[in-house]
Amino acid sequence: MNKPAELAKNYHTILSHTRSFFSGTLISRFSGMFRDIVLAMLFGTSALLSNFMVAFRLSNFFRRVLAESPLSASFIPTLESFRKESEKKGALYFRDAFISLFVLGVIVTSASQLGLKFFAHHFFQKEILSIISLIQIMFPSLIFLMLYGLCSSYLQSFGKFFIGAVAPTLFNVVWIVFAYFAKDLRDESAMQTLSWGVLSAFCIQFFITALFVFQKVKIKISKQEFIKSPYSKNSISSFFKPYFLSMTGVGATQLNTFLDSIFSKIADQSGPAYLWYAIRLEQVPLSLFAIALASALLPQLSRAFQSDQKEFKALLSKSLSKNFILMSFCSVGLILFGFSVIRLIFYRGEFDQSSLQMTLRCLWAYSLGLVFQGGVIILSQAFYASKDFKTPARSAALAVVLNVICNALLIFYFEFGSVSIALATSLASLVQFIYLKVKISRQMAIFYGKNAVYGFVSVIVAGILAFFSMIVLNDPTVKFIKSGTVQILSFSNVVMRTIFSAGLFAAVFLALAWMFRIEEIKAIFKRI
């Protein structure tokens, strides 16, 4: 097969895997959105729920650092190297990594529980003690998350992206069940019930994914070989060295999240809740497009790096261009229709007008950095595939420093309140993206090409036309922009206006993309 044909085949493979990841993530995101609707309806943006959000985000600090991104980034490139030698070696490498992660998870969980008990004895403020008790309940879920992340990465190496992406749906279902039982409980008991629900949900999510993984493993290697083959120190060192380097970068990113939760509580007692709902909406396009694309890209980039640098460069350039176009579209879409989306999804029960107004402002601020966040995710995969884990770590450390400075300035000097955290995140993402882009450009020339320019022009034209239609329809978003006041219309009224304006926005964008022959957009729908 000639080089252009092989490149086209590999790129279509990435698109196919992206669609598979997209489908699973879409289902899990819808279930997650329904979970958040239930939370908003039952608990609103109360200070009590804010404590739970802080505890959840703090317990998630270790989840993000030790599971998810570090696992796929360090495990998949090395797994591909072992699989190139033989499938048996790949299966044994998975086994060794599985056992090692389980032991590491138990050690970290035990040490953390002791540390939390120590802090609980030295803090007497009721709010802090409440947060610590919730973290203690949720923290053991780290073990199941680490193993789930490893299982998902193993399946991704074989082109199986749907199972790992759809598994969080079970997590959301279990959480909703526990939220329903928590609604009639009083004060901290309700949040403790939610915390037990989180632990149970992560456990079920892992076991379902593990069933599919071990079905595949037993095809590659016999049960006897899997159990009795000696534990390889070489394979473990091959796993842990890049794993710990990846943890450094992701740890810096999660330190941002930890600091954000502290700053948001300082800015506003309900700040963590506003940011939670805004992040949930912002993460939908990020998960469906940028993360889906990056997950499908990593195995292909890892193989290309070992065999063909030109293919590596071409795949990365195409992926960056696709991310730029799609994230620009989603960013403008969230700014235009964020009000209507929040109104339709969250505005009920304890989620009042003030909650809507503050959540919308946070969402707009997050939307400004959406393109750069997606770009950081894609560029990081390129460094991971080439087994350079230090550069993403340095970029993440830079983002932490800038995030802290921006948070402090925006909260204490400019007094922007909860919106400060979202703005600081967007600014930090911009600087991190520029840093990574400069670093990769020193190794190889990466170009967005004319399609990225045409795509951006299409987004802007479509956005302008959609905004004019919103003015004509007297959309509540327009009134909010003009006066800062929230006009509440009936549910059906909001639905009809949003469908028309959003439909016009999407239709004009797709028409222009087709007219400009933007392959990155046409390819998405080619096989649907």
Side-chain angles (χ1 to χ4, degrees):
M1 185 183 293
N2 58 42
K3 290 293 181 183
E6 187 177 353
L7 175 62
K9 180 183 176 183
N10 289 336
Y11 185 62
H12 282 301
T13 299
I14 291 173
L15 289 180
S16 176
H17 291 166
T18 301
R19 281 190 288 267
S20 179
F21 193 96
F22 174 94
S23 301
T25 304
L26 186 64
I27 295 170
S28 65
R29 283 291 166 179
F30 270 123
S31 66
M33 195 65 68
F34 183 68
R35 179 200 73 199
D36 290 337
I37 290 171
V38 172
L39 284 178
M41 182 174 65
L42 298 179
F43 305 106
T45 54
S46 64
L48 196 64
L49 183 66
S50 291
N51 287 344
F52 172 80
M53 297 301 184
V54 171
F56 183 77
R57 293 183 75 172
L58 292 181
S59 62
N60 266 13
F61 174 83
F62 286 94
R63 164 197 169 187
R64 301 285 188 184
V65 171
L66 296 173
E68 297 183 354
S69 296
L71 279 174
S72 61
S74 59
F75 178 73
I76 290 177
T78 309
L79 176 63
E80 290 297 331
S81 300
F82 279 107
R83 284 186 63 203
K84 197 171 183 180
E85 296 179 38
S86 72
E87 290 292 350
K88 178 181 175 181
K89 285 188 176 181
L92 289 175
Y93 172 63
F94 167 76
R95 179 206 62 180
D96 293 344
F98 187 93
I99 295 171
S100 301
L101 277 179
F102 177 75
V103 173
L104 178 64
V106 171
I107 292 172
V108 173
T109 300
S110 302
S112 298
Q113 293 288 7
L114 290 173
L116 289 167
K117 283 186 179 180
F118 172 80
F119 280 113
H121 283 299
H122 290 78
F123 283 102
F124 301 99
Q125 188 177 345
K126 184 179 179 182
E127 190 174 45
I128 295 177
L129 289 174
S130 173
I131 292 173
I132 290 175
S133 69
L134 297 178
I135 295 174
Q136 285 179 309
I137 296 171
M138 289 187 276
F139 205 93
S141 62
L142 174 67
I143 299 170
F144 302 112
L145 276 163
M146 292 170 71
L147 298 179
Y148 159 74
L150 184 70
C151 290
S152 295
S153 298
Y154 186 76
L155 291 172
Q156 287 173 14
S157 185
F158 289 91
K160 305 297 181 184
F161 289 84
F162 181 79
I163 297 165
V166 80
T169 302
L170 294 170
F171 167 83
N172 293 322
V173 170
V174 173
W175 194 349
I176 289 169
V177 170
F178 274 80
Y180 177 78
F181 286 110
K183 68 181 175 66
D184 295 325
L185 299 177
R186 299 174 66 107
D187 300 332
E188 291 184 17
S189 298
M191 298 302 107
Q192 288 174 355
T193 301
L194 277 181
S195 299
W196 283 112
V198 169
L199 176 60
S200 304
F202 280 130
C203 177
I204 293 171
Q205 176 181 293
F206 157 67
F207 279 112
I208 294 298
T209 310
L211 287 175
F212 289 94
V213 170
F214 286 102
Q215 285 292 322
K216 184 162 284 294
V217 168
K218 73 179 184 181
I219 298 174
K220 308 295 179 183
I221 186 174
S222 68
K223 184 178 178 181
Q224 193 172 24
E225 285 179 309
F226 187 83
I227 295 172
K228 294 185 177 181
S229 294
Y231 190 77
S232 172
K233 291 183 179 179
N234 180 49
S235 66
I236 292 308
S237 63
S238 299
F239 170 70
F240 272 116
K241 185 177 179 180
Y243 178 58
F244 286 128
L245 285 171
S246 302
M247 281 170 50
T248 305
V250 176
T253 302
Q254 292 312 304
L255 180 59
N256 261 342
T257 303
F258 169 75
L259 293 172
D260 282 352
S261 64
I262 302 300
F263 275 116
S264 63
K265 196 71 176 174
I266 294 171
D268 189 320
Q269 281 297 304
S270 295
Y274 300 142
L275 292 166
W276 169 270
Y277 294 121
I279 288 172
R280 300 306 298 169
L281 294 174
E282 182 239 9
Q283 284 182 343
V284 171
L286 207 60
S287 299
L288 291 179
F289 299 116
I291 294 176
L293 180 59
S295 300
L297 183 65
L298 182 58
Q300 295 291 335
L301 280 181
S302 300
R303 293 168 198 147
F305 182 77
Q306 297 175 32
S307 57
D308 190 341
Q309 289 290 311
K310 287 185 178 180
E311 182 184 342
F312 181 94
K313 172 185 168 182
L315 290 174
L316 180 58
S317 295
K318 280 178 172 287
S319 299
L320 281 171
S321 181
K322 182 185 290 293
N323 169 79
F324 179 78
I325 296 169
L326 290 174
M327 289 299 102
S328 296
F329 176 79
C330 293
S331 181
V332 173
L334 284 176
I335 291 170
L336 287 175
F337 310 112
F339 178 94
S340 299
V341 171
I342 295 170
R343 162 70 178 87
L344 294 173
I345 295 175
F346 297 128
Y347 187 71
R348 55 182 54 81
E350 296 297 318
F351 195 95
D352 56 19
Q353 290 191 33
S354 175
S355 301
L356 190 154
Q357 188 173 11
M358 292 306 302
T359 301
L360 177 61
R361 287 174 175 167
C362 292
L363 177 61
W364 281 350
Y366 277 127
S367 299
L368 296 175
L370 200 58
V371 173
F372 309 115
Q373 289 182 54
V376 167
I377 293 169
I378 300 294
L379 285 172
S380 296
Q381 299 295 68
F383 287 104
Y384 294 144
S386 59
K387 298 185 179 179
D388 176 2
F389 299 91
K390 292 181 180 179
T391 300
R394 291 191 189 106
S395 74
L398 176 65
V400 170
V401 174
L402 184 64
N403 193 58
V404 170
I405 294 172
C406 290
N407 270 327
L409 284 173
L410 293 170
I411 291 173
F412 300 114
Y413 184 76
F414 292 101
E415 298 183 351
F416 283 174
S418 301
V419 181
S420 305
I421 290 84
L423 280 173
T425 299
S426 294
L427 288 170
S429 299
L430 169 61
V431 174
Q432 190 177 4
F433 172 76
I434 292 172
Y435 177 86
L436 292 174
K437 183 67 169 59
V438 169
K439 285 290 185 180
I440 199 77
S441 296
R442 290 176 181 174
Q443 301 175 25
M444 60 186 72
I446 303 296
F447 299 103
Y448 280 95
K450 64 179 183 180
N451 281 347
V453 177
Y454 289 153
F456 185 71
V457 170
S458 301
V459 169
I460 297 302
V461 172
I464 291 172
L465 290 175
F467 185 67
F468 276 121
S469 75
M470 293 165 72
I471 293 174
V472 172
L473 293 171
N474 195 26
D475 192 279
T477 304
V478 178
K479 185 174 182 180
F480 179 78
I481 293 172
K482 288 180 178 178
S483 61
T485 58
V486 179
Q487 178 188 5
I488 301 300
L489 301 175
S490 67
F491 185 86
S492 59
N493 201 323
V494 174
V495 170
M496 294 304 296
R497 291 166 188 253
T498 305
I499 288 175
F500 180 84
S501 298
L504 177 64
F505 176 57
V508 171
F509 170 71
L510 292 175
L512 290 173
W514 197 269
M515 184 181 74
F516 287 132
R517 298 181 180 180
I518 302 175
E519 186 180 338
E520 285 83 355
I521 300 301
K522 290 171 68 177
I524 296 175
F525 303 97
K526 200 170 184 179
R527 295 187 181 182
I528 296 178

